[in-house]
Amino acid sequence: KIYGKLMDTDELLDLVSEDKKFYMTSGGGVTLSGGECLMQPEFCIELLKKLKENNINTAVDTCGYADSDIFEKTMPYTDTYLYDVKAIDEDVHIKCTGVSNTKILKNLLMLDRFGKKTEVRIPYVPGYNDNQNDKIAVFLKELKNLTGIRVLKYHNLAGSKYKSLEMENTLPKEISTPEDMVCVRQKFEAYGLNVIE
């Protein structure tokens, strides 16, 4: 089944503007996410610009796997980036995602260099990236505009989607335990990083 409908940026702006009073009183705003929202860069940039013209706070939720010029074009209209970091070692990242993380880490450093507020999200997947925590912490400690990190508990809820699409389920079987999550958060805190629950 196809969910949702096609909309242009004006239609979407009208829709999200209905909650503008709520954004103003709560300090919130509009987050573009996905999938990967930056796979539709022209739409995202146009919408972000219109949101800023309407004094609406903006955030971009991204895995970071986009060309640097796309990030450069979003920067003037984005207040905060919510940014995934899955691994520092390239081979581990390729094993987890199928692609290199070179572009991802480069873009994160660029956002920081330009003073963009960034919250990093770290999906913790036992048996896949659990050996990356110290390396991620060392990398993140150098960022000047990091507002905090969130360690995300891995779940396999997407398993049913594989079945409905008649595809092989390649998701990891082992999920994170509450004890795992406490240990991982404590590890990042030991590096002096602000861990958001």
Side-chain angles (χ1 to χ4, degrees), residues 135-161:
K135 293 176 182 183
I136 292 171
V138 168
F139 184 88
L140 296 181
K141 271 184 66 71
E142 301 304 313
L143 300 182
K144 306 282 188 281
N145 298 287
L146 181 68
T147 60
I149 67 167
R150 287 185 197 270
V151 182
L152 306 177
K153 183 178 191 289
Y154 168 71
H155 59 75
N156 53 10
L157 298 177
S160 61
K161 291 182 182 178

Side-chain angles (χ1 to χ4, degrees), residues 119-188:
E119 176 187 301
V120 168
R121 277 93 181 278
I122 303 161
Y124 174 72
V125 186
Y128 278 73
N129 70 343
D130 45 359
N131 65 345
Q132 295 293 294
N133 295 327
D134 290 299
K135 293 176 182 183
I136 292 171
V138 168
F139 184 88
L140 296 181
K141 271 184 66 71
E142 301 304 313
L143 300 182
K144 306 282 188 281
N145 298 287
L146 181 68
T147 60
I149 67 167
R150 287 185 197 270
V151 182
L152 306 177
K153 183 178 191 289
Y154 168 71
H155 59 75
N156 53 10
L157 298 177
S160 61
K161 291 182 182 178
Y162 282 86
K163 186 174 182 180
S164 68
L165 294 170
E166 298 178 358
M167 294 172 62
E168 179 190 357
N169 183 345
T170 58
L171 294 172
K173 305 294 183 247
E174 186 180 347
I175 62 171
S176 315
T177 67
E179 295 77 21
D180 289 336
M181 300 309 293
V182 169
C183 289
V184 175
R185 289 185 185 111
Q186 287 174 344
K187 181 179 284 276
F188 284 109

Side-chain angles (χ1 to χ4, degrees), residues 38-78:
L38 297 181
M39 293 288 288
Q40 300 179 58
E42 296 85 6
F43 185 91
C44 287
I45 294 160
E46 183 180 324
L47 179 60
L48 288 165
K49 184 176 182 182
K50 289 178 180 180
L51 290 165
K52 292 314 294 175
E53 288 169 352
N54 284 271
N55 297 311
I56 295 174
N57 188 281
T58 59
V60 170
D61 186 347
T62 179
C63 72
Y65 193 73
D67 291 337
S68 296
D69 66 313
I70 292 171
F71 277 97
E72 288 175 20
K73 290 174 184 172
T74 65
M75 278 193 253
Y77 316 113
T78 305

Side-chain angles (χ1 to χ4, degrees), residues 68-125:
S68 296
D69 66 313
I70 292 171
F71 277 97
E72 288 175 20
K73 290 174 184 172
T74 65
M75 278 193 253
Y77 316 113
T78 305
D79 296 301
T80 305
Y81 289 88
L82 309 174
Y83 203 99
D84 289 359
V85 174
K86 299 175 180 78
I88 298 298
D89 293 338
E90 186 178 31
D91 62 324
V92 174
H93 196 274
I94 291 170
K95 177 185 172 192
C96 291
T97 68
V99 297
S100 167
N101 61 351
T102 302
K103 182 185 291 192
I104 294 165
L105 298 177
K106 178 183 166 193
N107 286 333
L108 180 55
L109 292 172
M110 179 185 70
L111 290 175
D112 192 62
R113 192 170 63 252
F114 280 95
K116 300 307 295 184
K117 289 192 302 186
T118 306
E119 176 187 301
V120 168
R121 277 93 181 278
I122 303 161
Y124 174 72
V125 186

